[in-house]
């Protein structure tokens, strides 16, 4: 190669303290160290309190330190991690953890995350990560098969349900808008676009309506029946009314496992309403979707394939470590039209359809982790049958909990158990008799319920601080509910017995004599 | 506990094939296996082609398989991974990888990701992950210190720059809107809200404007000067004009390391314009921000603290594995007002300010990985000083590349090198003389440039297929540019020499005689 001059540049080469490189043997040793750390963690786990016995201020004092200027050895960092961080964690992998909708991850998924981060693939597109992109597309195909979604549907992995729901509403609005709102914005759109969901829908729908500029008021909350399923007649009536008033309904969101109680909306009926009014049908199956793998639950998911988009969270009931969310679009071209932009520095040079595929044309993120690897490895290691068995057992554990609640004089079941969420409360016989006796006195009933709400709030706080089991709470028709969501492959009946014994013990201590 | 009846339930307990549990020894063994896998990967890495010698169809055929119904052993899966997946990856950790803005991750970050996924913390809030939430808040404090951002600012980790920029524009719009657009939506807002950025801004800003409902047309692209920095006079003029026309400017986006060339916008001047017109000042420092740790670059970032929000990507120039993005808000209460919603099942029972803190009140996601762990471990292991030295060396490597380009008769530098991005093209002496000779003939010049664009496109394609080095491309003032972004702690001068030799060799082969 020609040179204008041959004077060598005075710029120094990279020095040894200007790299973070390790040799392969050091990398292995570091990996062994971390493997021992997690192995020992799981050995100690059964003895750890499920929720840490600490406070915000204590943890803050314990963990605060100035920005490290010089480094320390990995051994020291791991020791600090074991001594200070682990005891401050909620132990989501514990057999008695049933809070919110959080599963213990499968260990093979954590192994996959190590490899994924070591290779540091950036799965923006095929071009940036050919094999990783191909594996993600394969995993999306597998997910479609697991929930019987059409094989020509598209989709991608996202960080979780919030992003999946946001992406779905984005695609829905662009597909159904009467003007080019992507370019011109919502301010100039001919009419206010409206979203419909049951009162039990996850709050990420309202948040998405806010983020997307439709406004939180654009979400119409439809009543639910005694099983917490959307009232389809009310839905159709509200849509009619809104159209008459010049509003523009564009999307109905159905729940396939509502977050409070696990209720399944009548998906087929909702799909029918959407067909009639030409609306986008989105199903939020973030919690429930993979229960389609469990024989006893499969029939509930028969109409999933009628959804235009489907939010699913492998990091919930497929036991994949966080984050592994998924959005499926029945018509992938509609998603592409909503999200596709272009810029010079990401211009695609390839011409083959596989090689020109870009995930950023179908979603919000550009840089993306190799999330598919942990799903790929977990599915290959366990197989869909085994995962389905674990889910089936979770459902059975939930039925066991519900049965024990119903058999007991101290407890009251607050909602039907459709999947694996159990809402109940401690309600000793005395108070329940009082409620029954005051059937015609609403204010007397309200007063007792208020008393029970306070009692169960206090029970929950003491239960969590005690560390024997972890559940969360919700409100079911004005009643404060203890809520156990069992998506935990370590849970056995003895764990549930311990929970109920503990709640009853605390309840007896706290209950007014 | 009292019972209504004592007949035991017929529900069976969890069987052994209904769990994914492993004993601690099995977990360690699995970790060792994966550690060997990545150790051996790094041993082979220098010999691997940087871009895989494959095609989309080939990879698809190789990797396709039906949904696994039954499982296979981890050893088999890892073998398949090594044989089929690794050779199909772009090797982002290779010393000659300089594509887009992608760094090799530090191995300690991958180790942290193993641990993070094993513990499977869900960092929605303090309540859900006390120690992890505290570590994230600590890491945010460290990040503020590294870039000299005010200590009372808030923020959180996100998946990357796209989410950071989206979050910033969301917070900006809610803070500056004249009506309650969060509830009522944009359609009823009194005037069209407008965003200002240079023509060099990342496309995620336009995408965010689309997602948020302002529309892509709401982004005003301001011209840049010869150094690719925003023209401040044009910015002020455009804002004045828009206000006169009844539009509502609300946000200016400055680049701290623009994605095409690495240019730094005149941040102090932009801040002054924002102050004058009461606009939100967002700085996209996703690529460049951590160069504030490098002594030679630090002065460029003097005005960062004037930004109302700041997008930073630890997974870029802090060498943290993907995903580790960050958004900082100067006034954390403004962010909270934009994002805070509430729902029964996430009602916070705690009263202490630390314990009632929720990340979902300040961003888009609910479920969130324990992203902070890898930053915490990397900073503790290497210290900020060492990371700054690596960044400084990257900048020096970029200067070395630029110097060699300028010294050569075969190359042309297409943009100044402000941080570590080098835009250049192969332009043999003959063609450059022709351009110089046709100084007064624009169409002749255009024709030669067109020829050079085609030539460099062909060079890039052949270079990438050859696998010796990886760079990406962009367009600089109509010229197709070869673009190397050096944020790679493994790169030495010899790597850059190989790149230029290879480009020159391919160029000489392809150039018209």
């Amino acid at each position: 190669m020609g040179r204008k001059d041959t004077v060598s540049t005075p710029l120094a080469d990279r020095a040894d303290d200007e790299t973070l490189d390790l040799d392969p043997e050091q990398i292995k040793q570091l990996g062994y160290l971390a493997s021992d750390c997690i192995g020992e963690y799981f050995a100690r786990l059964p003895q750890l309190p499920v929720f840490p016995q600490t406070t915000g201020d204590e943890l803050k004092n314990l963990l605060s330190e100035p920005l490290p200027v010089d480094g320390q050895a990995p051994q020291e960092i791991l020791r600090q991690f074991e001594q200070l961080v682990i005891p401050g964690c909620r132990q989501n992998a514990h057999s008695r953890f049933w809070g919110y909708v959080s599963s213990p991850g499968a260990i093979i998924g954590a192994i996959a995350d190590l490899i994924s981060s070591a290779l540091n693939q950036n799965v923006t597109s095929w071009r940036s990560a050919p094999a990783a992109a191909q594996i993600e597309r394969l995993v999306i195909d597998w997910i479609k098969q697991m929930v019987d979604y059409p094989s020509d549907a598209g989709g991608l992995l996202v960080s979780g349900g919030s992003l999946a729901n946001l992406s779905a509403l984005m695609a829905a609005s662009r597909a159904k808008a009467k003007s080019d709102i992507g370019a011109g914005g919502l301010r100039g759109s001919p009419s206010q676009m409206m979203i419909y969901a049951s009162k039990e829908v996850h709050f990420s729908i309202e948040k998405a309506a806010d983020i997307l500029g439709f406004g939180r008021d654009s979400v119409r909350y439809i009543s639910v029946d005694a099983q917490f399923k959307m009232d389809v007649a009310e839905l159709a009536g509200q849509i009619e009314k809104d159209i008459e008033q010049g509003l523009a309904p564009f999307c109905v969101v159905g729940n396939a496992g509502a977050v409070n109680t696990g209720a399944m909306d009548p998906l087929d009926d909702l799909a029918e309403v959407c067909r009639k009014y030409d609306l986008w049908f989105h199903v939020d199956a973030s919690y429930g979707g993979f229960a389609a793998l469990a024989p006893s639950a499969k029939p509930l998911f028969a109409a999933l394939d009628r959804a235009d988009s489907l939010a699913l969270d492998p990091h919930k009931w497929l036991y994949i470590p966080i984050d592994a969310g998924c959005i499926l679009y029945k018509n992938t071209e509609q998603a592409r039209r909503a999200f596709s932009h272009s810029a010079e520095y990401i211009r695609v040079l390839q011409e083959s359809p596989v090689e020109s595929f870009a995930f950023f044309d179908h979603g919000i993120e550009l840089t993306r982790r190799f999330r598919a690897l942990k799903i790929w490895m977990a599915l290959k290691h366990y197989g869909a049958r085994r995962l389905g068995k674990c889910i089936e057992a979770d459902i059975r554990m939930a039925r066991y909990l519900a049965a024990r609640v119903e058999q007991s004089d101290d407890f009251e079941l607050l909602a039907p158990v459709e999947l694996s969420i159990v809402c109940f409360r401690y309600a000793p016989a005395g108070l329940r008799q009082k409620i029954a006796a005051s059937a015609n006195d609403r204010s007397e009933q309200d007063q007792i319920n208020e008393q029970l709400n306070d009692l169960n709030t206090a029970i929950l706080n003491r239960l969590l601080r005690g560390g024997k089991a972890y559940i969360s709470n919700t409100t079911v028709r004005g009643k404060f509910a203890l809520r156990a969501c069992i998506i935990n492959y370590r849970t056995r009946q003895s764990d549930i017995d311990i929970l109920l014994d503990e709640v009853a013990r605390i309840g007896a201590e706290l209950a007014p004599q």
Side-chain angles (χ1 to χ4, degrees), chain A residues 182-195:
Chain A
L186 292 174
R187 195 169 164 274
S189 61
S191 37
Q192 174 67 43
M193 296 176 74
M194 304 296 289
I195 300 158

Side-chain angles (χ1 to χ4, degrees), chain A residues 217-291:
Chain A
D217 298 345
S218 70
V219 183
R220 294 283 193 211
Y221 289 105
I222 308 298
S223 305
V224 292
D225 65 15
Q227 275 74 46
F228 298 92
K229 295 168 190 282
M230 200 194 299
D231 180 330
V232 181
E234 184 180 318
L235 169 68
Q238 184 66 55
I239 291 170
E240 292 272 2
K241 211 181 302 172
D242 286 346
I243 293 172
E244 271 167 39
Q245 291 185 1
L247 301 171
F250 78 95
C251 183
V252 173
V253 180
N255 289 313
V259 71
N260 281 316
T261 67
M264 297 285 300
D265 276 334
L267 301 180
D268 208 40
D269 297 343
L270 299 188
E272 209 40 44
V273 170
C274 289
R275 195 195 50 76
K276 180 169 173 194
Y277 297 100
D278 188 27
L279 310 182
W280 184 283
F281 183 33
H282 173 61
V283 172
D284 183 356
S286 297
Y287 152 55
F290 291 105

Side-chain angles (χ1 to χ4, degrees), chain A residues 21 43 55 68 86 105 111 120 124 142 145 152 174 185 194 218 224 250 260 337 421 428 469 498 503 510-511:
Chain A
D21 209 1
T55 66
I86 287 181
I111 295 297
N120 208 27
T124 62
W142 289 351
Q145 287 175 56
D152 58 346
R174 271 39 175 183
M194 304 296 289
S218 70
V224 292
F250 78 95
N260 281 316
R337 275 199 296 269
I421 293 175
I498 290 173
V503 172
L510 291 176

Side-chain angles (χ1 to χ4, degrees), chain A residues 63 152 253 297 309 355 357 407 500:
Chain A
L63 294 168
D152 58 346
V253 180
S309 55
E355 294 176 24
F357 182 86
Q407 285 161 11
L500 289 180

Side-chain angles (χ1 to χ4, degrees), chain A residues 83-374:
Chain A
Q83 288 171 0
L84 302 183
V85 182
I86 287 181
C89 285
R90 193 181 71 186
Q91 311 304 347
N92 298 347
H94 195 286
S95 61
R96 289 190 293 280
F97 174 75
W98 308 296
Y100 307 95
V101 190
S102 260
S103 79
I107 292 298
I108 188 109
I111 295 297
D113 266 329
L114 165 66
I115 297 172
S116 161
S117 290
L119 267 70
N120 208 27
Q121 295 300 287
N122 188 350
V123 196
T124 62
S125 58
W126 188 91
R127 180 193 58 231
S128 283
Q134 188 53 49
I135 287 195
E136 179 159 343
R137 298 188 73 178
L138 175 66
V139 160
I140 292 290
D141 281 345
W142 289 351
I143 290 175
K144 289 184 293 189
Q145 287 175 56
M146 285 189 276
V147 299
D148 273 336
Y149 203 61
S151 62
D152 58 346
L156 73 164
L157 300 177
V158 295
S159 67
S162 291
L163 263 285
N165 284 332
L166 179 63
S167 304
L169 291 184
M170 173 79 183
S173 63
R174 271 39 175 183
K176 297 297 182 185
K178 302 281 182 261
S179 64
D180 183 2
I181 54 178
L186 292 174
R187 195 169 164 274
S189 61
S191 37
Q192 174 67 43
M193 296 176 74
M194 304 296 289
I195 300 158
Y196 301 78
S198 92
K199 288 178 173 165
E200 297 293 307
V201 77
H202 190 267
F203 88 114
S204 57
I205 294 295
E206 187 172 295
K207 193 163 180 171
D210 182 341
I211 293 168
L212 294 170
F214 300 113
R216 295 188 298 276
D217 298 345
S218 70
V219 183
R220 294 283 193 211
Y221 289 105
I222 308 298
S223 305
V224 292
D225 65 15
Q227 275 74 46
F228 298 92
K229 295 168 190 282
M230 200 194 299
D231 180 330
V232 181
E234 184 180 318
L235 169 68
Q238 184 66 55
I239 291 170
E240 292 272 2
K241 211 181 302 172
D242 286 346
I243 293 172
E244 271 167 39
Q245 291 185 1
L247 301 171
F250 78 95
C251 183
V252 173
V253 180
N255 289 313
V259 71
N260 281 316
T261 67
M264 297 285 300
D265 276 334
L267 301 180
D268 208 40
D269 297 343
L270 299 188
E272 209 40 44
V273 170
C274 289
R275 195 195 50 76
K276 180 169 173 194
Y277 297 100
D278 188 27
L279 310 182
W280 184 283
F281 183 33
H282 173 61
V283 172
D284 183 356
S286 297
Y287 152 55
F290 291 105
L293 288 175
S296 81
K298 189 164 180 53
L300 296 171
F301 296 89
L304 267 196
D305 62 344
R306 298 194 66 181
D308 294 297
S309 55
L310 193 54
L312 289 160
D313 269 344
H315 67 211
K316 293 193 169 93
W317 222 347
L318 209 61
Y319 314 107
I320 304 297
I322 291 161
D323 56 2
C326 175
I327 177 71
L328 298 181
Y329 307 106
K330 184 175 274 177
N331 179 337
T332 190
E333 184 54 24
Q334 286 177 324
R336 210 194 54 75
R337 275 199 296 269
F339 288 106
S340 177
H341 289 236
S342 62
E344 281 305 326
Y345 51 90
I346 52 164
R347 193 147 65 93
V348 171
L349 297 172
Q350 284 81 7
E351 293 306 319
S352 119
V354 178
E355 294 176 24
S356 63
F357 182 86
F359 292 101
F360 56 77
D361 281 340
H362 303 81
I364 292 170
E365 295 174 321
L366 178 56
T367 290
R368 296 163 71 253
R369 253 182 96 69
F370 187 5
R371 295 178 176 122
L373 187 63
K374 51 191 169 187

